[in-house]
Amino acid sequence: MTTPLVRTVRFHATGGPEVLRVERLPLRDPGPGEVRIRVHAVGLNRSEVNFRRGTYLDAPVLPAGLGGECSGTVLGTGPGVTGWVPGDEVCVIPASSQNEHPVYADEAVVPVRSLLARPPGLDDDGAAALWMPLLTVWGMTRHAVRLREGDRLVVTAAANSIGAAALQVARHLGVHAVAVVPDNRHAGVLRSAGAAEVLTGTPDAEALRSALGGGADLVLDAEGGPGVARLVRACAPGGAVIVHGGLSGEPTPLPAAGYAPVWLRRFHVREVTGDAAVLARAETFARAGLAAGTLTPLVERVFDLDDGVAAVAAAHAHLESPDRAPGKPVLRTGQRNR
C-alpha cells in the first residue's frame, strides 16, 4: 500500500524566512508513547524563528521541521498509549524538541505527554494560540514566584502573546500590572487585557515605581541585556526579575551592587511542560480562568498554509516585526474543523 504524503514545512539550511520550504513527505507511524494527529492550526512562536536561524536552545538537525504548539484531532495512537482515541479534539503543547516532533504540517506525530484536551468553546485558531503563553506566564507567576492579590507587576515587551497573557493573569489574580511597550499603538488592547498603566519607550526605575505606586514585586522581562539593571532597581526588596526572552540581542549581566535584594533568574516553559505534576496544576489554573472568562486566547493574525511557502515565510517575517499587535499569530492548515 502506498504511504500517503503529508504537506510539511521544513528548512535545509539555517537562515532567514527564505530558507523555508513546503514539501510532501511520508509520515511515520506513531511509536510507543506517541499519537498521530491531524493538525488544524499552529500557534507561531518566536522560538521557531531562532530555531530556523540556528540560534535556539536546540540546534536544528537538517533538514528540520518546525513548531511545537497546535490544535488538532487524534488519528491514531502508538503502543502503550491509553486515555486517547481517534476523534479526540486536542491541543499540543511544546513538550519536546522540534527536531523530534514538528507540527508545521497537515499531520504530525507527537508525544502523548504533549496532549491536553481542547477546552470547550474554542475554535481551531484559539485552541492553537492558548497554551504556550498561559503555561509560560503561570510558570513565572505561580510556580517560580507566587504572585498574590495586590502585588505589583511589570511586563516588558508587553505587545506579544506572553505579554498579553501576563496582563490577563494579573487581572485574574488581582495584581496591579504596568505594561511597557515601544509606543502607544496598542495601549487600549493592553489595558483591556489587564494593564493598569501603559508606559512607552524605556522608562527608568523611578518612572516604573511611580506607575506602580511602589517597588515591583515581579518583573517579567522579554528583552534581557543591560536594561535588566534598571528593572532590578525598580523592584521592592525581595522582588524578582524573570528574564524569559532575549529580544535585546545583548548579554544580560548581573547588575552591580547598590540595589535592594532582588532575585534574578531565567525561565523556560519546559519547566512546566516537562513535569507532569506541575503541568497539571497549570492546566487547572488555566481552565478555571477560561471558565470564568478572565483568561482567553488572543489571536493576533492568521496565515494559511494553503497560500503556500510565501505565507509561511511571511508568518516568520511577521514574528520578528515591530508592527505586531498583542497576541499570537497562527498558521492554519487545510485540515481544519470548520
Side-chain angles (χ1 to χ4, degrees):
M1 187 172 78
T2 303
T3 302
L5 300 181
V6 173
R7 190 172 49 167
T8 305
V9 177
R10 295 202 302 176
F11 57 102
H12 292 248
T14 56
E18 70 279 357
V19 304
L20 296 170
R21 302 181 186 180
V22 177
E23 303 173 338
R24 293 191 178 271
L25 303 168
L27 182 65
R28 64 179 175 85
D29 291 332
E34 294 181 328
V35 296
R36 181 168 179 159
I37 64 165
R38 175 180 295 115
V39 177
H40 300 316
V42 178
L44 301 175
N45 298 292
R46 193 179 176 91
S47 60
E48 291 133 32
V49 170
N50 295 331
F51 188 66
R52 186 203 71 223
R53 288 173 171 168
T55 58
Y56 191 55
L57 299 172
D58 301 325
V61 178
L62 301 173
L66 284 156
E69 179 181 24
C70 68
S71 60
T73 302
V74 173
L75 296 176
T77 60
V81 172
T82 60
W84 301 99
V85 297
D88 284 344
E89 296 293 328
V90 296
C91 299
V92 175
I93 62 173
S96 65
S97 170
Q98 296 176 74
N99 283 314
E100 298 172 0
H101 299 103
V103 299
Y104 279 32
D106 284 331
E107 296 181 13
V109 171
V110 298
V112 69
R113 68 179 183 277
S114 71
L115 295 187
L116 295 177
R118 175 166 160 169
L122 295 185
D123 62 14
D124 293 329
D125 299 338
L130 174 69
W131 288 107
M132 171 73 164
L134 280 183
L135 294 178
T136 302
V137 172
W138 180 90
M140 293 188 290
T141 61
R142 304 296 285 170
H143 179 62
V145 172
R146 194 168 183 83
L147 276 185
R148 298 165 297 182
E149 184 176 0
D151 280 351
R152 301 181 178 99
L153 172 70
V154 173
V155 181
T156 72
N160 57 29
S161 60
I162 300 295
L167 296 173
Q168 287 189 7
V169 168
R171 179 181 59 195
H172 181 74
L173 295 175
V175 169
H176 183 86
V178 170
V180 181
V181 287
D183 55 58
N184 267 321
R185 283 177 298 168
H186 308 302
V189 176
L190 296 173
R191 288 192 175 93
S192 295
E197 299 286 345
V198 178
L199 302 183
T200 60
T202 54
D204 59 22
E206 290 71 25
L208 291 169
R209 283 175 168 271
S210 176
L212 290 165
D217 298 292
L218 177 62
V219 178
L220 303 182
D221 180 45
E223 297 177 341
V228 166
R230 84 177 193 283
L231 300 176
V232 167
R233 289 194 297 272
C235 286
V241 176
I242 299 181
V243 181
H244 61 93
L247 296 178
S248 72
E250 299 180 67
T252 301
L254 184 66
Y259 55 86
V262 171
W263 188 35
L264 175 63
R265 65 162 288 183
R266 290 191 175 275
F267 184 85
H268 193 278
V269 70
R270 289 183 189 172
E271 294 185 40
V272 177
T273 62
D275 186 315
V278 175
L279 176 60
R281 295 197 298 273
E283 182 183 2
T284 297
F285 175 88
R287 290 187 186 277
L290 288 167
T294 53
L295 305 179
T296 184
L298 186 57
V299 177
E300 183 257 346
R301 183 170 170 181
V302 174
F303 299 85
D304 201 316
L305 188 57
D306 284 348
D307 294 329
V309 69
V312 185
H316 267 230
H318 182 67
L319 283 168
E320 301 182 77
S321 170
D323 296 327
R324 281 183 59 184
K328 180 188 287 290
V330 165
L331 176 68
R332 292 174 177 168
T333 76
Q335 306 296 316
R336 304 177 66 239
N337 282 338
R338 299 189 184 275

